[in-house]
Structure formats: C-alpha cells, structure tokens
C-alpha cells in the first residue's frame, strides 16, 4: 500500500459557503494541521474575491472550470477560468499532480447532513467511507464515480484523487455552528484515516456499510419560455436520502398537477431544492442505495 503524503485542504471554492472558508481560517489561525504532522497538508481558500463578496462565484462557477480542454483553452479568460488555470499550476497539473488527495469543503442548502462525496471507487475511498461511517454513523457516504466524463470538471479533479465534504442544510452566506462542527468532525476523520493508514495502524472499519450511488437528476417542469411551472413537492422537500418509490409524488405544478417518480427503482434524492442549482432548474439529484462491502480491501 502506497502512503499518502501530500494533501490539499480547500475552502471557498464557492464564496458563499461559509463552513469551509471558516474551517480553513480557523485551522490556519490555530495551527490545527500540526495534529497530523506526518502529513504534508496545504490549506487554501481558493476564490478570495467571491468569498469577500459572499457570492458563489464572480463570473463562472469555479467548480466547473477544470475540464482539461478548458484549462488548455487560451481564449478562456474569465475570472474563474484564469483562477482555475492558476490552481491547476499550484495543485496539478491535472493528470500529473503531486497532490495525492484533495479535500474540497462545501456546504449545501439541502438537508443532506454530513455527506462524504467520493469521486472514485477504489480501496482508498471504500475504506475511507467505512472509517467515516463507523465514526459518524449518521453520515451519508455517496459515490459519484459514474458521473459522466463531461461532468468531471470539478476542482478536486486536479489532484490524484479528491473527496468532497458536503454538509447541510445551511443557507448561503450563513455560518451555523452545527454545520461547521459536522464539517470539522468529518474532515478530522478523513485526515486521521490517512495518517493511521500510513502508519499501518489497524483501523476500525465495518465489513460493510450502507452507501449511495449517483443515478441521475430530476429537473423542475418549465414552459417554452423557460419559466417554472412547478416546484418540489412538500412530501419530499428536506427529505434528502430518504426513499422515493416509483409512483411517489416528487413535484407539483402550480395548477395542482402531481408529478410522480417514473423510474423503476427506489431512488434516494439529494441536493433537493439546492439554491445553487436554481439556474439550471434542477429539482434534485437521484441516487441508489447499496451495501458497500469492505471485506476484499481490509
Ligand atoms: Zn459548493
């Protein structure tokens, strides 16, 4: 097993998600990273202008700027496009980065609790999910390794592998103690896991655990002019990671028509009514629940 040494800890990818920004600020001020002194951790707030103005981004979403073609496109000169190129030099280059793990800290307006989002499915992420789940039984472990290639343009893709700590619900530009505490706890467990694993310490990891797998998205109904014709049903609002059976009401139009889940599997929604997805009229992301076995990796 290869040791993991270089880690990037990133806050402020979105300038109005305050938990990650303040966790990085707090840990830098209190020199908390010394607690994992065997690891080489670089902590950074990456979109300072957006943070200053407390907006998600200045021109474009920084977390969608890391497609290789975009990074190499000299005609892309917007604020975040240039910032992405700079970060790709500092933490990448994508595809050949010395950073083994990038932890990207986000919060969501959706009621997702403490959610660990994993970009790949390999021994490291599977065991990390088990370790976090053991220490935080209420955490949601979500794999998105099957997200289509064209959507693999997140900041964390500059490193060899990336994980997202996504905690909610928390309104944009608001800092709530519960959210910050959950983010801090989950981030501590991730760093502990890496350090203990490097040391060859026997880790307490369950044989199997419940996890979620990305399965698709549901959009709000819109008319020919792009105007919304409905909203998420009260029956599922705020119920992230709770099951929706086929035929279950998921949205309702303003004229009272109920829109039901037409899939052929039990879906577990997340990012329900996420404020940042307002522009693309996303109602929610869907996932499937499954049992992840750690037996072959321990
Ligand atoms: Zn975010």
């Amino acid at each position: 097993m290869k040791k993991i040494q270089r880690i990037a800890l990133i806050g402020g990818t979105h300038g109005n998600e305050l938990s990650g920004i303040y966790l990085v600020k707090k840990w830098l001020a209190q020199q908390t990273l010394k607690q994992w002194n065997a690891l080489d951790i670089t902590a950074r707030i990456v979109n300072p202008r957006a943070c200053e103005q407390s907006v998600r981004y200045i021109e474009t979403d920084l977390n969608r700027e890391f497609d290789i073609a975009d990074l190499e496109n000299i005609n892309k000169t917007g604020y975040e496009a240039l910032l992405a190129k700079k970060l790709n030099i500092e933490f990448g280059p994508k595809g050949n980065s010395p950073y083994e793990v990038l932890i990207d800290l986000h919060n969501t307006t959706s009621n997702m609790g403490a959610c660990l989002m994993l970009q790949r499915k390999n021994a490291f992420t599977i065991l990390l999910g088990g370790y976090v789940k053991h220490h935080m039984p209420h955490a949601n472990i979500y794999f998105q390794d099957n997200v289509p290639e064209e959507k693999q343009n997140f900041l964390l893709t500059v490193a060899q592998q990336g994980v997202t700590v996504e905690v909610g619900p928390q309104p944009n530009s608001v800092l709530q103690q519960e959210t910050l505490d959950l983010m801090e706890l989950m981030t501590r467990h991730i760093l502990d896991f890496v350090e203990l694993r490097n040391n060859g310490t026997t880790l307490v990891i369950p044989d199997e655990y419940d996890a979620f797998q990305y399965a698709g998205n549901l959009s709000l109904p819109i008319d020919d002019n792009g105007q919304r014709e409905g909203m998420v049903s009260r029956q599922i609002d705020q119920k992230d990671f709770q099951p929706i059976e086929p035929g279950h009401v998921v949205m309702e139009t303003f004229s009272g028509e109920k829109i039901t889940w037409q899939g052929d599997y039990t879906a577990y929604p997340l990012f329900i009514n996420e404020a940042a997805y307002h522009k693309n009229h996303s109602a929610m992301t869907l996932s499937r629940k499954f049992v992840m076995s750690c037996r072959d990796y321990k």
Side-chain angles (χ1 to χ4, degrees):
M1 180 208 72
K2 197 172 155 282
K3 286 188 180 184
I4 286 172
Q5 294 297 150
R6 285 191 82 174
I7 297 179
L9 179 65
I10 303 295
T13 302
H14 293 134
N16 56 5
E17 296 176 7
L18 301 198
S19 314
I21 298 166
Y22 280 93
L23 184 62
V24 169
K25 280 187 182 179
K26 179 179 142 177
W27 278 13
L28 287 176
Q30 299 177 358
Q31 303 192 345
T32 308
L33 294 171
K34 284 185 177 166
Q35 293 175 18
W36 301 275
N37 58 13
L39 304 176
D40 178 3
I41 307 170
T42 303
R44 184 85 76 246
I45 289 167
V46 290
N47 195 340
R49 264 180 73 187
C51 294
E52 222 173 81
Q53 297 183 25
S54 205
V55 290
R56 185 173 172 89
Y57 52 80
I58 302 293
E59 291 184 13
T60 54
D61 191 335
L62 178 63
N63 210 25
R64 303 291 183 274
E65 290 288 350
F66 289 85
D67 186 89
I68 289 263
D70 288 340
L71 291 168
E72 289 172 354
N73 184 347
I74 53 166
N75 296 317
K76 287 206 70 171
T77 55
Y79 175 69
E80 274 83 7
L82 291 177
L83 192 54
K85 290 173 186 182
K86 200 177 126 223
L87 293 166
N88 188 44
I89 293 168
E90 188 177 356
F91 293 104
K94 181 166 172 168
N96 195 22
S97 170
Y99 283 87
E100 289 146 298
V101 175
L102 188 151
I103 304 168
D104 202 8
L105 304 171
H106 290 255
N107 56 259
T108 170
T109 60
S110 304
N111 188 19
M112 285 164 56
C115 181
L116 179 67
M117 308 183 85
L118 299 164
Q119 213 62 21
R120 304 239 181 100
K121 201 179 275 150
N122 55 31
F124 174 76
T125 58
I126 290 167
L127 295 180
L128 171 63
Y131 182 84
V132 168
K133 189 75 181 162
H134 173 76
H135 289 278
M136 297 178 73
H138 296 295
N140 294 304
I141 313 297
Y142 171 73
F143 286 88
Q144 49 181 353
D145 52 298
N146 57 335
V147 167
E149 192 65 31
E150 71 271 15
K151 288 190 177 173
Q152 298 281 2
N153 50 6
F154 303 127
L155 182 150
L156 53 74
T157 61
V158 299
Q160 292 175 27
Q161 55 183 337
V163 303
T164 303
V165 177
E166 184 79 73
V167 188
Q170 178 171 268
N172 291 331
S173 303
V174 172
L175 185 62
Q176 292 174 322
Q177 191 170 27
E178 189 185 356
T179 310
L180 182 63
D181 285 355
L182 282 173
M183 177 177 280
E184 175 160 5
L185 187 62
M186 185 175 274
T187 309
R188 281 182 174 279
H189 286 312
I190 295 168
L191 294 171
D192 286 348
F193 171 80
V194 174
E195 190 163 82
L196 293 169
R197 178 180 169 274
N198 281 349
N199 295 343
T201 309
T202 306
L203 296 165
V204 185
I205 291 172
D207 285 344
E208 56 182 40
Y209 60 93
D210 285 341
F212 299 92
Q213 180 79 48
Y214 168 82
N217 296 287
L218 279 186
S219 293
L220 292 162
I222 52 168
D223 66 17
D224 294 342
N225 299 317
Q227 296 299 306
R228 281 190 196 176
E229 295 183 310
M231 59 192 153
V232 170
S233 165
R234 64 165 69 85
Q235 293 186 35
I236 64 159
D237 203 12
Q238 298 292 310
K239 292 181 181 165
D240 296 71
F241 293 115
Q242 291 185 37
I244 305 174
E245 302 298 340
H248 196 120
V249 175
V250 285
M251 288 176 269
E252 197 166 323
T253 66
F254 300 127
S255 54
E257 185 195 341
K258 291 184 175 13
I259 299 170
T260 56
W261 164 230
Q262 294 295 312
D264 58 0
Y265 63 93
T266 304
Y268 291 78
L270 59 152
F271 287 121
I272 298 174
N273 253 337
E274 159 58 46
Y277 300 156
H278 156 82
K279 278 188 182 159
N280 60 10
H281 301 294
S282 173
M284 66 200 79
T285 297
L286 297 176
S287 71
R288 291 174 196 256
K289 193 174 186 177
F290 72 105
V291 175
M292 173 55 82
S293 172
C294 299
R295 290 183 189 85
D296 294 340
Y297 302 96
K298 292 212 273 188

